[in-house]
Amino acid sequence: MDLDAKVGVLLPTVRAQWTAGDDPRQVVRLAVEAERLGYDSVWANDSVLTPRIEALTVLTAAAAMTERVTVGTATLMPVTRRPVNAAHSLASLDLLSGGRLVVGVGAGFPGRFGVPLHRLSEVPWERRFARLDETVALWRRLWSADEPVTFHGDVLQLDDVPPTIRPHTAGGPPIWLGGSTPAALERTGRLYDGWLPYPPRADDYATGLKVVQQSGRDVTSALFVSVAITDSLAEGEDRLRGYARTNYGMDLEDLRTIQAVVAGPPSHVTEYLRAYVDAGATHLVCRLAAAGLDDYRRQLELLAATVNT
């Protein structure tokens, strides 16, 4: 079934997604395969807390080996990088991809992944949202500047920063915000180019999107969702249980309270995804619930056949 939405896939960059004997270099070749199968985008997520290929590194390699697909971060954690260095890296990637970069960003959330990430990055957890917004504002200034930039925000204080190399995209690549709290919705509509949440219910997505759209700005509406195609619902549930334990260290029932996840026969998966498209999602970023790179490749083929028929 044609979902009338763009569909992309998260590349399996995390070591927990590989099995014995997998060659990590195949991750980039999977981006090429995704383009061949008709996907619109390939994505990489970002963390220093679990072993994985660094997001901008793998996307640069993927961009060099593809011609059409968008390459994106879902999501990048700017707190792990110096703001000026990150602006340089992102501008370089956008330039080398010919303007195919989308930068999804997040500020982290309390618990297992948030505070420890800030501690390792030697950045205070407090005022993380202001730091993120100011980092993005600084990037945009640097991507458009011809003269040294002075930036004095509430968190970032920088003087006479040399402008970075110009990205391919005028003004810099689009920046999408992940998050669905009331504050994140308001900031998305006011400051960002796209919205990339993962609410577990389509009606929650519709409600959040209405808030984002109140700004009147043109904001891309995307969805991050974990997906697997299986022969039966029971097999899908078993697959998702293993996926939740391996990738998140939690039970499937707990994961379902915070994230969009679906597995089962093609008709079940399309019905689930269709509900989000009907709620306003125009770009689906799918994390394939796969165990090993061969299994990922099979899921890549199955999902392509599901959403394109």
Side-chain angles (χ1 to χ4, degrees):
M1 179 185 294
D2 188 348
L3 287 170
D4 194 27
K6 292 183 177 180
V7 179
V9 288
L10 189 74
L11 295 172
T13 60
V14 183
R15 191 172 67 186
Q17 298 171 293
W18 309 337
T19 54
D22 279 345
D23 182 350
R25 292 174 295 181
Q26 291 296 322
V27 172
V28 176
R29 297 187 179 99
L30 288 168
V32 178
E33 184 69 5
E35 182 171 73
R36 185 189 69 79
L37 289 169
Y39 286 96
D40 298 288
S41 55
V42 295
W43 303 77
N45 55 10
D46 183 40
S47 178
V48 294
L49 298 179
T50 54
R52 71 186 68 213
I53 306 172
E54 194 274 326
L56 302 186
T57 302
V58 73
L59 291 178
T60 299
M65 295 183 65
T66 57
E67 297 181 356
R68 176 188 56 80
V69 288
T70 293
V71 294
T73 58
T75 60
L76 190 75
M77 302 299 293
V79 69
T80 66
R81 298 163 175 84
R82 299 295 185 185
V84 174
N85 299 76
H88 188 191
S89 297
L90 292 167
S92 299
L93 175 49
D94 188 65
L95 185 65
L96 293 174
S97 70
R100 290 185 283 141
L101 177 63
V102 169
V103 186
V105 297
F109 50 88
R112 179 182 174 192
F113 297 108
V115 176
L117 185 66
H118 281 70
R119 185 181 301 117
L120 286 174
S121 302
E122 299 181 317
V123 174
W125 171 251
E126 294 72 24
R127 309 195 72 183
R128 62 191 183 280
F129 300 116
R131 182 180 300 276
L132 175 62
D133 293 345
E134 290 184 11
T135 297
V136 169
L138 173 64
W139 289 349
R140 288 170 170 158
R141 289 271 305 276
L142 291 172
W143 291 335
S144 302
D146 292 318
E147 302 293 335
V149 169
T150 294
F151 187 98
H152 288 174
D154 293 333
V155 178
L156 300 182
Q157 305 287 330
L158 296 163
D159 293 302
D160 297 324
V161 181
T164 189
I165 190 169
R166 285 289 181 94
H168 182 278
T169 306
I175 303 178
W176 299 359
L177 182 64
S180 54
T181 65
L185 298 175
E186 186 277 330
R187 288 164 50 241
T188 299
R190 181 167 49 88
L191 300 173
Y192 290 83
D193 306 305
W195 184 43
L196 182 60
Y198 46 71
R201 293 165 50 92
D203 55 353
D204 292 335
Y205 187 94
T207 300
L209 184 58
K210 288 180 181 178
V211 177
V212 170
Q213 293 174 334
Q214 287 176 358
S215 67
R217 297 174 61 248
D218 184 15
V219 177
T220 300
S221 50
L223 171 75
F224 186 97
V225 55
S226 297
V227 179
I229 306 296
T230 58
D231 291 334
S232 68
L233 286 174
E235 183 185 345
E237 289 295 289
D238 287 342
R239 180 179 282 264
L240 287 178
R241 287 190 188 94
Y243 161 82
R245 287 193 298 268
T246 299
N247 291 279
Y248 292 96
M250 64 174 64
D251 293 334
L252 175 59
E253 292 72 19
D254 294 329
L255 181 63
R256 275 201 168 114
T257 66
I258 59 174
Q259 186 179 122
V261 293
V262 61
S267 59
H268 175 73
V269 171
T270 53
E271 181 181 3
Y272 183 93
L273 297 178
R274 168 63 66 187
Y276 283 93
V277 173
D278 290 345
T282 61
H283 199 139
L284 308 179
V285 178
C286 300
R287 180 172 183 171
L288 303 181
L293 299 187
D294 287 342
D295 187 34
Y296 180 97
R297 183 176 287 103
R298 178 62 176 155
Q299 285 293 319
L300 194 68
E301 294 170 348
L302 289 170
L303 181 61
T306 297
V307 300
N308 292 324
T309 58

